[in-house]
Amino acid sequence: MYEIWLASNIVWEMALTVWPLLLAAAVAWLLLMTAAVRRPGARLRRALPAALLCAAAGAFAAFVIVPGAVGSSLGELGYWVDVANLAAIAAGCGVAVGAFAWPLAAIFRARAA
Amino acid sequence: MKRIAGQTALPPRAADAARRRLLQLGAGAPLALGASGAATPARASIRTNARIVIAGSGLGGIAVANRLSRMLDGARITIVDRKEEHNYQPGYTLVATGVWPVDKVRDRNAEFQPAGVTWVRDMVAAFDPAANAVVTAGGQRIDYDFLVVATGLHLDYAQIPGMDVAAIGSNGLASVYPGPQAAQATWAAMQSFAQKGGNAIMTLPATPLKCAGAPLKMTFMLRDRLRQAGTLDKSKVRFQSALGAVFGVKVVNDNVLARWKDLGVGVEFSRRLAAIDIGARRATFVSPEGEKEELPYDFIHVVPPMRAPDAVKNSELSWKEGPFAAGGWLEVDKATLQHRRFPNVFGIGDINGTPRGKTAATVKKSAPIVAANLVSVIAGGKPEVSFDGYTSCPLLTREGSAMLIEFDYDGKLTPSLPMIEPLQDSFFAWLLKVRMLKPAYLAVLKGRV
Ligand SMILES: Cc1cc2nc3c(=O)[nH]c(=O)nc-3n(C[C@H](O)[C@H](O)[C@H](O)COP(=O)(O)OP(=O)(O)OC[C@H]3O[C@@H](n4cnc5c(N)ncnc54)[C@H](O)[C@@H]3O)c2cc1C
């Protein structure tokens, strides 16, 4: 329980240091979603596979890039706890990429149709 | 819950005064602090007009101030400390080894102190616990009902003749401890040494240390920087310990020594740095038998002896006998962190005369305990929460990897999560150190975790 409280506080403190960026990202995502929903012919459900693909690519890229970005490397993954943590971070990055890819894919598909 | 030795042994005048004030404080007010209050935020505040002085506004002082200001309604809290800059000290090793820029360890104390406290920008020059008062260097006398001592410790470079803190960064002289500037200068010295290689000496004094892992981290990282610069084969790294070990927890000590053997780091024991000639780059070591040896070096990392600041050491608050008396550490009960002779006094952080545990991680676990126990005493009760001496040290083993070591008063490894393997080289432990522990520290400072 304490560890969950501590982890939430860590995330909160990290978010505080980049809150303008997070706010801008949230507004941009809301605008994109609104545009996707309102666009004639845009189908969010149909755009889901493409978004998932982008999310998977984003997660893979994060898995490879994050160790180097923090001054470490993939070779330093010593045991399963390292792999699990990196996978969780990568999954988070993947979700973020997927969240943006989803309305974008819907908009582009509608434009292409 | 342990009973506190000497809890009622207050000097009569102080005891009467303390009792009188306690009776005036509305002591019967409800307290929403269970026995598990250490880790849980308080839910209700109690009304009191107690005067609380907190000496020191480092991590411990501010963390306790934030907690008390939420847990108490009407208390008059005064923080005494001249220091305006707040330093994230656990980041010094990262600055000193070129991982972080220096601005990451610099903040302002004013940003973290709770609203409504009085901040006296001066140092406590004398503690007078018998009269429940502190006197500042500027001569101001501040009376209190309750005192929290959070002065940290004193880096006693003066015990090393020839040592000059201002010279850190020049002539191969390094020392990570004094502050951000010294950490930055240490990195400059390390970089220029790594370019050429040569003889490196790493020292360890015999006193209790804050972050006892820091001298080891510096050694691991220096060796790694030599490897990266391609000068390892031209270099010799020797660790000179004034003790019979390099770390107080045996399994960790043995593990580090085995690693150093593999890495070619030499270790010599029972050798105290007795003097240094900075210009000539020569250090004198002395054995317990008094035998002296002068060693030339190209790079030296000096870890100073550490003790309580004079104001505490020379006061009635310090240990008068036992292993903590020589350093003048605060005489607190190691479980409740309440002073053993003055029950209206508590200690937090590096100043405490307790086994091990001079780390920010110790403050993380003990600040809620100090706040809870102090509130219990204010409410007329007894300290109810016990501290197990938790401390932690992410031991950098090279750039990109660390070991996450957590242990208690008894030197027993106590990983926070069961799956963590303390002696495993780990990317996660590195990530924690370089990205997550400062946010955790800030949450401790704000009194939230
Ligand atoms: C190089 C280094 C590496 C470290 N690495 C780690 C790590 O990896 N993990 C970890 O958990 N911890 C680490 N620490 C230890 C950690 O930073 C300290 O244990 C922690 O900051 C202690 O907090 P404190 O409040 O007791 O003391 P401090 O934060 O030092 O604050 C003490 C305050 O008291 C003030 N003061 C002193 N004398 C007086 C006086 N007479 N009157 C009024 N005020 C006074 C000072 O000005 C200061 O502001 C490291 C420390 C260093 C130096």
Side-chain angles (χ1 to χ4, degrees):
Chain A
M1 192 56 202
Y2 174 74
E3 265 62 39
I4 295 171
W5 174 241
L6 176 63
S8 333
N9 271 278
I10 291 174
V11 171
W12 171 250
E13 287 296 334
M14 285 168 127
L16 276 185
T17 61
V18 288
W19 73 264
L21 205 80
L22 290 177
L23 188 69
V27 170
W29 184 76
L30 278 175
L31 289 175
L32 277 175
M33 284 303 277
T34 313
V37 168
R38 288 202 175 158
R39 194 170 188 101
R43 298 267 185 279
L44 275 171
R45 187 173 292 177
R46 279 224 226 127
L48 209 52
L52 286 175
L53 209 67
C54 290
F60 178 76
F63 195 91
V64 176
I65 293 167
V66 165
V70 297
S72 188
S73 71
L74 277 176
E76 296 291 5
L77 299 182
Y79 68 137
W80 72 270
V81 169
D82 289 347
V83 179
N85 273 288
L86 181 55
I89 293 167
C93 294
V95 167
V97 170
F100 279 90
W102 194 22
L104 281 173
I107 291 168
F108 283 126
R109 274 177 161 252
R111 204 184 270 175
Chain B
M1 202 10 254
K2 283 188 178 169
R3 248 198 89 62
I4 299 151
Q7 186 177 326
T8 51
L10 267 174
R13 209 158 58 92
D16 287 349
R19 214 170 291 127
R20 261 198 316 277
R21 294 234 35 112
L22 279 171
L23 290 172
Q24 293 165 11
L25 297 175
L31 246 189
L33 280 164
S36 63
T40 47
R43 281 183 190 85
S45 57
I46 67 161
R47 268 215 68 76
T48 173
N49 61 357
R51 296 164 303 171
I52 302 170
V53 166
I54 300 176
S57 71
L59 175 62
I62 295 184
V64 169
N66 274 305
R67 284 179 178 272
L68 291 179
S69 67
R70 278 204 301 272
M71 294 162 84
L72 298 171
D73 178 10
R76 287 163 290 166
I77 300 174
T78 303
I79 295 178
V80 187
D81 192 341
R82 191 183 293 136
K83 197 161 179 240
E84 304 256 354
E85 184 170 288
H86 190 93
N87 297 124
Y88 174 63
Q89 297 174 37
Y92 290 177
T93 47
L94 296 174
V95 174
T97 57
V99 180
W100 269 13
V102 71
D103 59 315
K104 279 208 171 197
V105 297
R106 290 194 144 137
D107 289 289
R108 308 298 304 165
N109 268 332
E111 280 172 37
F112 303 111
Q113 292 186 1
V117 302
T118 306
W119 180 9
V120 175
R121 288 170 170 80
D122 201 351
M123 300 303 253
V124 173
F127 290 93
D128 185 356
N132 291 327
V134 299
V135 181
T136 68
Q140 187 182 350
R141 185 185 168 85
I142 307 170
D143 295 315
Y144 62 78
D145 301 304
F146 300 94
L147 170 70
V148 179
V149 184
T151 57
L153 51 68
H154 176 71
L155 302 171
D156 206 358
Y157 285 100
Q159 279 191 39
I160 309 166
M163 179 62 196
D164 178 6
V165 173
I168 294 170
S170 64
N171 279 307
L173 179 66
S175 187
V176 68
Y177 277 96
Q181 250 174 325
Q184 203 176 21
T186 290
W187 172 229
M190 190 183 283
Q191 266 178 305
S192 70
F193 169 67
Q195 273 159 24
K196 295 188 224 111
N199 269 330
I201 296 179
M202 315 300 283
T203 73
L204 184 75
T207 62
L209 293 187
K210 67 167 140 189
C211 190
L216 313 186
K217 298 177 204 178
M218 293 301 293
T219 306
F220 276 117
M221 287 299 284
L222 172 70
R223 197 259 175 209
D224 202 43
R225 292 301 184 202
L226 289 166
R227 180 190 60 79
Q228 290 169 344
T231 50
L232 194 54
D233 52 349
K234 288 188 244 161
S235 306
K236 205 166 156 190
V237 181
R238 292 168 78 181
F239 193 92
Q240 306 286 324
S241 168
L243 300 160
V246 297
F247 198 76
V249 177
K250 187 168 180 333
V251 281
V252 178
N253 178 67
D254 294 350
N255 183 283
V256 169
L257 290 179
R259 284 166 184 271
W260 283 355
K261 198 171 171 202
D262 291 346
L263 296 173
V265 174
V267 185
E268 279 145 295
F269 299 105
S270 303
R271 287 161 65 86
R272 179 176 60 82
L273 178 62
I276 187 166
D277 183 338
I278 296 169
R281 298 197 187 204
R282 297 186 79 81
T284 305
F285 288 87
V286 65
S287 72
E289 294 75 37
E291 260 172 55
K292 284 188 178 170
E293 189 186 358
E294 212 179 70
L295 295 179
Y297 64 81
D298 300 296
F299 176 90
I300 188 168
H301 182 251
V302 175
V303 179
M306 300 183 196
R307 63 168 173 83
D310 286 334
V312 176
K313 190 171 192 274
N314 300 333
S315 76
E316 264 308 302
L317 293 174
S318 61
W319 280 93
K320 301 302 171 205
E321 55 188 30
F324 304 114
W329 305 104
L330 190 71
E331 186 182 333
V332 289
D333 177 84
K334 70 175 192 171
T336 60
L337 305 179
Q338 183 184 38
H339 199 277
R340 283 160 42 98
R341 286 173 285 121
F342 299 97
N344 59 339
V345 178
F346 283 78
I348 178 85
D350 294 348
I351 187 60
N352 282 345
T354 50
R356 311 175 206 275
K358 299 201 184 300
T359 67
T362 303
V363 175
K364 175 179 77 131
K365 279 286 167 78
S366 57
I369 292 171
V370 168
N373 285 344
L374 177 52
V375 170
S376 288
V377 173
I378 290 173
K382 289 196 174 119
E384 290 185 345
V385 197
S386 281
F387 181 47
D388 64 0
Y390 172 87
T391 189
S392 148
C393 177
L395 201 52
L396 310 177
T397 51
R398 57 185 169 272
E399 187 170 32
S401 186
M403 294 191 278
L404 184 55
I405 294 160
E406 298 164 278
F407 50 97
D408 62 12
Y409 276 143
D410 302 325
K412 200 170 76 221
L413 295 179
T414 53
S416 295
L417 299 169
M419 64 273 203
I420 287 174
E421 289 187 25
L423 301 176
Q424 166 73 52
D425 286 287
S426 161
F427 157 77
F428 173 59
W430 170 267
L431 181 70
L432 208 70
K433 175 74 185 168
V434 300
R435 284 289 195 277
M436 298 183 197
L437 288 185
K438 183 167 182 196
Y441 176 101
L442 293 175
V444 173
L445 205 54
K446 294 172 186 175
R448 283 205 312 264
V449 297

